[in-house]
Amino acid sequence: MNAKTKKLALIGAAAVVLCAGIFMALQAFNENLVFFFSPTQVAAKEAPVGRTFRLGGVVEKNSVVREKDGVTVHFRITDTAQTVNVEYKGILPDLFAEEQGVVAQGKLNEAGVFVASEVLAKHDENYMPPEAAKALEDAHKAGVAKAHAQGMDSKSHAEAVKSGAPMPANHP
């Protein structure tokens, strides 16, 4: 081999090693990338089955059920429009409570149950993860639009709220 061929071989080998390194870095990044989905998106089948993602919303009232083993907890996360069943094995954060904001990380199984590997609770009474807040706001807007489409004006809505009439979960 002459000097020119050796130089080209060295450059080619360096390019292959560089491309392999970039590929491995991108592959690792892709495996660790975790997307956020709302219960409405999960119900619409937008969330991947068997792949890790985050689910955010509010823990539905009267939905927390603890199994006798003391570690397994079942609860529902809602965005006021849709609800997703969640199963978690572990110790819940101290601030975890019904009707409070929560983000859970885990996988959706074939039965449609979100199996959480981690549960994150809000840290004070004013905090809501931005993604969860947006999901709740979008669900609320959809509920308002639905109420208006059904002919409920603001006066009849105010009267219903004032009278204490039962409201749907996504009432405006």
Side-chain angles (χ1 to χ4, degrees):
M1 269 207 252
N2 64 21
K4 187 175 183 181
T5 308
K6 286 181 182 178
K7 189 176 183 180
L8 285 175
L10 185 61
I11 290 173
V16 168
V17 169
L18 181 66
C19 288
I22 290 172
F23 174 77
M24 287 190 292
L26 289 175
Q27 193 67 21
F29 177 73
N30 189 34
E31 289 174 7
N32 292 322
L33 190 62
V34 179
F35 290 103
F36 177 89
F37 290 92
S38 69
T40 297
Q41 291 172 308
V42 172
K45 309 251 187 263
E46 294 176 23
V49 174
R51 181 173 166 129
T52 300
F53 65 93
R54 287 186 176 176
L55 172 67
V58 175
V59 179
E60 192 174 67
K61 187 175 185 176
N62 299 322
S63 72
V64 178
V65 177
R66 298 176 191 274
E67 289 191 9
K68 292 180 181 178
D69 65 6
V71 210
T72 306
V73 182
H74 299 273
F75 57 95
R76 291 188 300 273
I77 295 179
T78 183
D79 61 3
T80 69
Q82 296 291 331
T83 302
V84 175
N85 292 320
V86 178
E87 177 182 309
Y88 176 66
K89 290 185 180 185
I91 299 172
L92 290 167
D94 291 339
L95 296 174
F96 178 88
E98 294 179 346
E99 298 185 316
Q100 297 297 319
V102 68
V103 174
Q105 183 170 312
K107 296 179 181 181
L108 193 63
N109 68 16
E110 293 78 22
V113 175
F114 186 78
V115 180
S117 58
E118 183 177 12
V119 175
L120 308 169
K122 68 180 194 91
H123 69 278
D124 72 18
E125 68 277 353
N126 298 318
Y127 177 75
M128 172 83 56
E131 299 92 346
K134 182 177 181 340
L136 289 171
E137 180 182 335
D138 291 347
H140 177 74
K141 287 178 183 176
V144 170
K146 184 178 177 183
H148 287 293
Q150 292 174 347
M152 181 178 273
D153 60 7
S154 58
K155 183 179 177 186
S156 59
H157 175 261
E159 289 172 358
V161 170
K162 188 176 182 180
S163 71
M167 296 287 167
N170 63 347
H171 86 283

Coordinates of all heavy atoms in Angstrom, one line a residue, residues 116-154:
A116 N -47.7 1.4 36.2 CA -46.7 2.5 36.5 C -45.5 1.9 37.2 O -45.6 1.1 38.1 CB -47.4 3.5 37.4
S117 N -44.4 2.4 36.8 CA -43.1 2.1 37.5 C -42.7 3.2 38.4 O -41.9 3.0 39.3 CB -42.0 1.8 36.5 OG -41.8 2.9 35.7
E118 N -43.3 4.4 38.2 CA -43.0 5.6 39.1 C -44.2 6.5 39.1 O -44.9 6.6 38.1 CB -41.8 6.3 38.4 CG -41.3 7.5 39.2 CD -40.1 8.1 38.6 OE1 -39.7 7.8 37.4 OE2 -39.5 9.0 39.2
V119 N -44.5 7.0 40.3 CA -45.6 8.0 40.5 C -45.0 9.2 41.1 O -44.3 9.2 42.1 CB -46.7 7.4 41.4 CG1 -47.8 8.4 41.6 CG2 -47.3 6.1 40.7
L120 N -45.3 10.3 40.5 CA -44.8 11.7 40.9 C -46.1 12.5 41.3 O -47.0 12.6 40.5 CB -44.1 12.4 39.8 CG -42.9 11.6 39.2 CD1 -42.4 12.3 38.0 CD2 -41.8 11.4 40.2
A121 N -46.1 13.0 42.5 CA -47.2 13.8 43.0 C -46.8 15.3 43.0 O -45.6 15.6 43.0 CB -47.6 13.4 44.4
K122 N -47.8 16.1 43.0 CA -47.5 17.6 43.0 C -46.8 18.0 44.3 O -46.9 17.3 45.3 CB -48.8 18.4 42.8 CG -49.7 18.2 44.0 CD -51.0 19.0 43.8 CE -51.7 19.1 45.1 NZ -51.4 20.3 45.9
H123 N -46.1 19.1 44.3 CA -45.3 19.4 45.4 C -45.9 20.5 46.3 O -45.5 20.8 47.4 CB -43.9 19.7 45.1 CG -43.7 21.0 44.3 ND1 -43.8 21.0 43.0 CD2 -43.3 22.2 44.7 CE1 -43.6 22.3 42.5 NE2 -43.3 23.0 43.6
D124 N -47.0 21.2 45.8 CA -47.7 22.2 46.6 C -49.1 22.4 46.0 O -49.4 21.9 45.0 CB -47.0 23.5 46.9 CG -46.9 24.4 45.6 OD1 -47.7 24.2 44.7 OD2 -46.1 25.3 45.6
E125 N -49.9 23.1 46.7 CA -51.3 23.2 46.3 C -51.5 24.0 45.0 O -52.5 24.0 44.3 CB -52.2 23.9 47.4 CG -51.9 25.3 47.6 CD -50.7 25.6 48.6 OE1 -50.2 24.6 49.2 OE2 -50.3 26.7 48.8
N126 N -50.5 24.7 44.5 CA -50.6 25.5 43.3 C -49.9 24.9 42.1 O -50.1 25.3 41.0 CB -50.0 26.9 43.5 CG -50.7 27.6 44.6 OD1 -51.9 27.6 44.6 ND2 -49.9 28.3 45.4
Y127 N -49.1 23.8 42.3 CA -48.4 23.2 41.2 C -49.1 22.2 40.5 O -49.8 21.3 41.1 CB -47.1 22.6 41.7 CG -46.2 22.0 40.6 CD1 -45.6 22.8 39.7 CD2 -46.2 20.6 40.5 CE1 -44.8 22.2 38.7 CE2 -45.5 20.0 39.4 CZ -44.8 20.8 38.5 OH -44.1 20.3 37.5
M128 N -49.0 22.2 39.1 CA -49.5 21.1 38.3 C -48.5 21.0 37.1 O -48.1 22.1 36.6 CB -50.9 21.5 37.7 CG -51.4 20.5 36.7 SD -52.2 19.0 37.2 CE -53.5 19.6 38.3
P129 N -48.0 19.8 36.8 CA -47.1 19.7 35.7 C -47.7 20.4 34.5 O -48.9 20.2 34.2 CB -46.9 18.2 35.5 CG -47.3 17.6 36.8 CD -48.3 18.6 37.4
P130 N -46.9 21.1 33.7 CA -47.4 21.9 32.6 C -48.2 21.0 31.6 O -49.2 21.4 31.1 CB -46.2 22.5 31.9 CG -45.1 22.5 32.9 CD -45.4 21.4 33.9
E131 N -47.7 19.8 31.3 CA -48.4 18.9 30.4 C -49.8 18.5 30.9 O -50.7 18.5 30.2 CB -47.6 17.7 30.1 CG -46.2 17.9 29.5 CD -45.1 18.1 30.5 OE1 -45.4 18.2 31.7 OE2 -43.9 18.1 30.1
A132 N -49.8 18.2 32.2 CA -51.1 17.8 32.8 C -52.0 19.0 32.9 O -53.2 18.8 32.6 CB -50.8 17.3 34.2
A133 N -51.5 20.2 33.2 CA -52.4 21.4 33.2 C -53.0 21.6 31.8 O -54.2 21.9 31.7 CB -51.6 22.6 33.7
K134 N -52.2 21.5 30.8 CA -52.7 21.7 29.4 C -53.7 20.6 29.1 O -54.8 21.0 28.5 CB -51.5 21.7 28.4 CG -52.0 21.9 27.0 CD -50.9 22.0 26.0 CE -51.3 22.3 24.6 NZ -52.7 22.1 24.2
A135 N -53.5 19.4 29.4 CA -54.4 18.3 29.2 C -55.8 18.6 29.9 O -56.8 18.4 29.3 CB -53.9 17.0 29.6
L136 N -55.7 19.0 31.1 CA -57.0 19.3 31.8 C -57.7 20.5 31.2 O -58.9 20.5 31.1 CB -56.7 19.6 33.3 CG -56.3 18.4 34.1 CD1 -55.8 18.8 35.5 CD2 -57.4 17.4 34.3
E137 N -56.9 21.5 30.8 CA -57.5 22.7 30.2 C -58.2 22.3 28.9 O -59.3 22.8 28.6 CB -56.4 23.8 29.9 CG -57.0 25.0 29.3 CD -55.9 26.0 29.0 OE1 -54.8 26.0 29.7 OE2 -56.1 26.9 28.1
D138 N -57.5 21.5 28.1 CA -58.1 21.1 26.8 C -59.4 20.3 27.0 O -60.4 20.5 26.3 CB -57.1 20.2 26.0 CG -55.9 21.0 25.5 OD1 -56.0 22.3 25.5 OD2 -54.9 20.4 25.1
A139 N -59.4 19.4 28.0 CA -60.6 18.6 28.3 C -61.7 19.5 28.8 O -62.8 19.3 28.4 CB -60.2 17.5 29.4
H140 N -61.3 20.5 29.6 CA -62.3 21.5 30.1 C -63.0 22.2 28.9 O -64.2 22.4 28.8 CB -61.7 22.4 31.1 CG -62.7 23.5 31.6 ND1 -63.7 23.2 32.5 CD2 -62.8 24.8 31.3 CE1 -64.4 24.3 32.7 NE2 -63.8 25.3 32.0
K141 N -62.1 22.7 28.0 CA -62.6 23.4 26.8 C -63.5 22.5 26.0 O -64.5 23.0 25.5 CB -61.5 23.9 26.0 CG -60.7 25.1 26.6 CD -59.6 25.6 25.7 CE -58.8 26.7 26.4 NZ -57.6 27.1 25.6
A142 N -63.2 21.3 25.8 CA -64.0 20.3 25.1 C -65.4 20.2 25.8 O -66.4 20.1 25.1 CB -63.3 19.0 24.9
G143 N -65.4 20.1 27.1 CA -66.6 20.0 27.9 C -67.5 21.3 27.7 O -68.7 21.2 27.6
V144 N -66.8 22.4 27.7 CA -67.6 23.7 27.5 C -68.2 23.7 26.1 O -69.4 24.0 26.0 CB -66.7 24.9 27.7 CG1 -67.3 26.2 27.3 CG2 -66.2 25.0 29.2
A145 N -67.4 23.3 25.1 CA -67.9 23.3 23.7 C -69.1 22.3 23.6 O -70.1 22.6 23.0 CB -66.8 23.0 22.8
K146 N -69.0 21.2 24.3 CA -70.1 20.2 24.2 C -71.3 20.7 24.9 O -72.4 20.5 24.4 CB -69.6 18.9 24.9 CG -70.6 17.8 24.9 CD -70.0 16.5 25.5 CE -71.0 15.4 25.5 NZ -70.5 14.2 26.2
A147 N -71.2 21.4 26.0 CA -72.3 22.0 26.8 C -73.0 23.0 25.9 O -74.2 23.1 25.8 CB -71.9 22.5 28.1
H148 N -72.2 23.8 25.2 CA -72.8 24.9 24.4 C -73.5 24.3 23.2 O -74.5 24.7 22.7 CB -71.8 25.9 24.0 CG -71.4 26.8 25.1 ND1 -72.2 27.7 25.7 CD2 -70.2 26.9 25.8 CE1 -71.6 28.4 26.6 NE2 -70.4 27.9 26.7
A149 N -72.9 23.2 22.6 CA -73.5 22.5 21.5 C -74.8 21.8 21.9 O -75.7 21.7 21.1 CB -72.6 21.4 21.0
Q150 N -75.0 21.5 23.2 CA -76.2 20.9 23.6 C -77.2 21.9 24.1 O -78.3 21.6 24.6 CB -75.9 19.9 24.8 CG -75.1 18.7 24.4 CD -74.7 17.9 25.6 OE1 -74.8 18.3 26.8 NE2 -74.2 16.7 25.4
G151 N -76.9 23.2 23.8 CA -77.8 24.3 24.1 C -77.8 24.8 25.5 O -78.7 25.6 25.9
M152 N -76.8 24.6 26.3 CA -76.7 25.1 27.6 C -76.0 26.5 27.6 O -74.9 26.6 27.2 CB -76.0 24.2 28.6 CG -75.9 24.7 30.0 SD -75.1 23.6 31.2 CE -76.4 22.6 31.7
D153 N -76.8 27.5 27.9 CA -76.2 28.9 27.9 C -75.6 29.1 29.3 O -75.8 28.4 30.2 CB -77.2 29.9 27.5 CG -78.4 30.0 28.4 OD1 -78.4 29.3 29.4 OD2 -79.3 30.7 28.1
S154 N -74.9 30.3 29.4 CA -74.2 30.5 30.6 C -75.2 30.8 31.8 O -74.9 30.4 32.9 CB -73.3 31.8 30.5 OG -74.0 32.9 30.0

